[in-house]
Amino acid sequence: MEAPKFKKINLFQLVMLALGSLIGSGWLFGSWEATKIAGPAAIFSWIIGGLVIGSIAYDYVEIGAMFPESGGMSKYAQYSHGSLLGFIAAWANWVSLITLIPIEAVAAVQYMSTWPWSWAHWTHHFLSNGVITNSGLLIVFGFILVFTALNFWSVTILTRFTSLISVFKIGIPLLTIVMLTMSGFHPGNYGSNLHEFMPYGSAPIFTATSAAGIIFSFDAFQTVINMGGEIEHPKKNIGRGITISLLISGILYVILQSTFITAIPPKMIAATGWHGIVFNSPFADMAILLGIHWLSVLLYMDAFVSPFGTGVSFVANTARALFAMEGNRHVPHFLGKINLKYGIPRNAMVVNTVLSMVMVSVFRSWAVLATVLSTATLIAYLTGPVTAVSLRRMGSKLYRPIRLKNLPWIAPVSFVLASLATYWAMWPTTVEVILIILLGLPFYFYYEWRNHFVSTKQAFKASGWMIGYLIFISIMSYIGSHQFNGQNWIPYPLDFVVIIIASLGFYWWGIRSYVVTEDFHKAQKLNQEAKERGEIEDGQ
């Protein structure tokens, strides 16, 4: 029986899908959170965050083109280093994804909670001191269920919905930039000297990168990677889709941050300082403050649309990640079942929906969810540069539709940047997220036991560098500088020097720990299929 054929995603749809994921609640809250932490210097936080994620994405472009498959981000580490590293990377990535679905729902409900109209007073009970209440939680659950419903039937519905919604999601931020600049442009807010530009020093610039949701705002590039098996001409479109979507969103985020800084009335800054600027619905509150009430209405609408588009996109992304984990043979088999009519992993989607509800029941703050998500993502991404270079060493003859000239030096740089950004999440968040990731290990050992521990020793040896790294970064988070909530045994910026040197050591260890396993042989077959497909496409 011939397998059913599903409609492939073209480049425009791919970029719109990625932008639909990238431009979510990050733009609604990130600028305000970053400004509170770093003042006007927050503009650098977005640039640094973009460089961190951009360098990591660079590593994945080559791998994604080599193995265009659904949920690929959850499989690559297992191809190069065996089952344990593959499980850690997949589990960390999955934890970040099931956090992302509720964070978008929380963003929408938080904006709802500040609706200024007399008929909407009932929404004011949804939020208390920045935390979602029990009544607000029910609305969050409703959003999550709608996100899932829009993904439940087909990729075609998903791409049509996100292509339409992405146009709106880009248009509203652009309109906000223009109107706020016209109504309240105060370039003097940047200050006239270095102290005014960086009122709290340089360390908060880095803190904001992880703690203000900036890393989280750029994270969605993996939407392109995880849908690799459903993309037209993956040889060309994976790299193009990532590059175009990251550039558009990066430029937009930087301009939005600058607009937010210059729109704040100088009297407010003089009265409270940057730390004291408190908004529940930042851009909508700013529009009301400047007397642009019609814009505030649009922003309240966009507080539904932007998180909605991202939430919808990531229900699909998260389902594919869990589907891929089943392919790694360390989660129950039913999670890998594909619905033949619609071509989507429905069982995985339902499980993710339930667990997303559990996650938001525990972590009810947007800022806390953003920090947890960023840290889990970075730990998963640490395997990317190591895997990319290891695959060149162990699979030099593999088909590479895209061979990146600068990978030998960008890979270690991206590993170092990801390490620093993990540290910037601050104690105890770094350790808490690592513990959440370690909670998945019983699943790993259960399936290793069922497999009679055939390759467990080999898997541990190949993953020793990651285990050592997680211990190191946990200790550094505790003994590091007080600027990052540590004990200040290693003061700032010496803590950065220690992390850079140690990270290069762990990277060197990692690229020499690759192992040829049954999973690598499966990857070779997948790569051969990609080669044959590429030759057919080139001949057309």
Side-chain angles (χ1 to χ4, degrees):
M1 181 178 174
E2 190 176 332
K5 294 182 179 180
F6 307 110
K7 187 176 180 181
K8 297 283 186 175
I9 300 170
N10 61 37
L11 180 60
F12 174 77
Q13 291 173 325
L14 187 63
V15 171
M16 290 296 102
L17 189 62
L19 287 175
S21 304
L22 283 160
I23 305 173
S25 60
W27 92 266
L28 294 167
F29 290 98
S31 295
W32 167 58
E33 293 280 359
T35 302
K36 275 200 312 177
I37 294 170
I43 196 82
F44 286 153
S45 301
W46 288 95
I47 296 170
I48 292 168
L51 289 174
V52 171
I53 294 298
S55 66
I56 293 168
Y58 184 88
D59 303 322
Y60 280 103
V61 167
E62 180 168 306
I63 311 174
M66 290 170 66
F67 310 109
E69 56 182 328
S70 295
M73 293 281 287
S74 298
K75 293 185 176 182
Y76 303 142
Q78 186 149 331
Y79 293 160
S80 61
H81 287 77
S83 61
L84 180 57
L85 186 69
F87 181 83
I88 292 172
W91 187 272
N93 189 49
W94 177 66
V95 166
S96 74
L97 290 173
I98 62 167
T99 308
L100 197 146
I101 296 170
I103 200 176
E104 298 303 324
V106 166
V109 172
Q110 182 162 334
Y111 263 70
M112 281 180 67
S113 72
T114 61
W115 279 353
W117 308 290
S118 57
W119 58 266
H121 287 170
W122 58 279
T123 66
H124 297 178
H125 301 294
F126 294 165
L127 193 75
S128 177
N129 298 319
V131 176
I132 296 294
T133 62
N134 289 335
S135 58
L137 193 62
L138 294 176
I139 308 301
V140 170
F141 288 170
F143 273 101
I144 293 172
L145 289 171
V146 174
F147 295 165
T148 303
L150 282 169
N151 276 273
F152 207 66
W153 283 277
S154 77
V155 171
T156 302
I157 293 174
L158 171 65
T159 52
R160 287 176 180 172
F161 175 80
T162 51
S163 294
L164 175 64
I165 211 170
S166 295
V167 174
F168 185 81
K169 290 176 67 172
I170 296 170
I172 296 298
L174 289 174
L175 180 63
T176 301
I177 289 167
V178 172
M179 294 310 302
L180 292 186
T181 301
M182 290 174 62
S183 302
F185 183 58
H186 308 288
N189 288 353
Y190 275 111
S192 57
N193 55 57
L194 190 61
H195 174 70
E196 291 178 355
F197 179 68
M198 294 192 300
Y200 310 115
S202 58
I205 296 173
F206 304 107
T207 301
T209 303
S210 291
I214 292 173
I215 292 291
F216 145 65
S217 297
F218 286 112
D219 172 48
F221 82 86
Q222 66 167 287
T223 301
V224 178
I225 301 292
N226 278 332
M227 300 195 77
E230 295 149 78
I231 297 171
E232 278 183 0
H233 309 296
K235 174 180 176 180
K236 299 176 181 178
N237 289 343
I238 288 177
R240 290 175 180 176
I242 291 174
T243 303
I244 294 169
S245 58
L246 277 179
L247 278 175
I248 292 173
S249 58
I251 292 169
L252 186 63
Y253 280 133
V254 170
I255 297 173
L256 277 165
Q257 179 65 73
S258 181
T259 301
F260 188 86
I261 291 167
T262 57
I264 299 173
K267 289 182 180 179
M268 181 181 288
I269 301 168
T272 65
W274 294 98
H275 280 341
I277 295 172
V278 178
F279 293 127
N280 285 325
S281 306
F283 278 104
D285 290 345
M286 183 76 76
I288 292 172
L289 187 66
L290 296 176
I292 321 171
H293 294 282
W294 64 267
L295 179 62
S296 70
V297 174
L298 276 180
L299 286 165
Y300 282 122
M301 289 174 58
D302 190 66
F304 278 94
V305 175
S306 288
F308 210 87
T310 303
V312 168
S313 296
F314 267 89
V315 165
N317 207 6
T318 310
R320 285 167 178 80
L322 191 55
F323 159 75
M325 287 175 68
E326 188 278 330
N328 293 347
R329 303 180 306 280
H330 285 99
V331 294
H333 178 67
F334 79 94
L335 295 173
K337 186 177 180 181
I338 291 285
N339 181 278
L340 293 178
K341 183 176 180 181
Y342 298 111
I344 55 176
R346 279 185 163 183
N347 292 339
M349 201 172 284
V350 171
V351 169
N352 286 332
T353 298
V354 174
L355 291 176
S356 294
M357 291 179 177
V358 173
M359 184 70 78
V360 75
S361 298
V362 177
F363 302 108
R364 299 192 184 192
S365 161
W366 187 91
V368 173
L369 284 167
T371 307
V372 169
L373 190 154
S374 298
T375 310
T377 298
L378 288 164
I379 291 171
Y381 286 167
L382 282 166
T383 62
V386 172
T387 292
V389 174
S390 296
L391 285 170
R392 284 198 174 182
R393 289 166 171 256
M394 65 193 296
S396 58
K397 295 182 180 180
L398 288 172
Y399 169 64
R400 285 177 170 78
I402 303 171
R403 186 177 180 87
L404 303 172
K405 294 180 181 179
N406 298 312
L407 184 67
W409 69 267
I410 287 185
V413 167
S414 62
F415 188 93
V416 168
L417 288 175
S419 298
L420 288 168
T422 302
Y423 175 70
W424 298 338
M426 301 195 299
W427 174 272
T429 303
T430 304
V431 174
E432 288 172 347
V433 174
I434 289 172
L435 289 174
I436 290 172
I437 292 168
L438 294 179
L439 285 175
L441 288 180
F443 283 97
Y444 175 80
F445 287 115
Y446 170 73
Y447 283 96
E448 286 296 293
W449 169 74
R450 287 187 57 179
N451 211 23
H452 307 293
F453 297 103
V454 173
S455 59
T456 307
K457 183 177 179 180
Q458 182 189 52
F460 263 86
K461 184 177 180 181
S463 305
W465 65 274
M466 175 57 91
I467 296 168
Y469 172 83
L470 292 177
I471 295 170
F472 161 75
I473 203 69
S474 298
I475 293 172
M476 273 301 300
S477 183
Y478 180 73
I479 69 175
S481 60
H482 66 80
Q483 286 91 340
F484 299 94
N485 223 22
Q487 297 296 306
N488 210 41
W489 296 355
I490 304 178
Y492 172 79
L494 184 59
D495 50 350
F496 281 24
V497 176
V498 173
I499 289 172
I500 290 169
I501 293 172
S503 295
L504 289 173
F506 283 111
Y507 168 81
W508 180 86
W509 182 4
I511 63 173
R512 285 162 176 77
S513 298
Y514 63 82
V515 58
V516 176
T517 64
E518 178 187 346
D519 292 294
F520 177 69
H521 295 310
K522 288 181 179 179
Q524 286 178 310
K525 293 179 181 177
L526 179 65
N527 182 252
Q528 181 62 32
E529 291 172 5
K531 180 180 180 180
E532 293 169 359
R533 195 182 310 124
E535 289 172 348
I536 292 171
E537 290 174 351
D538 290 340
Q540 289 178 349

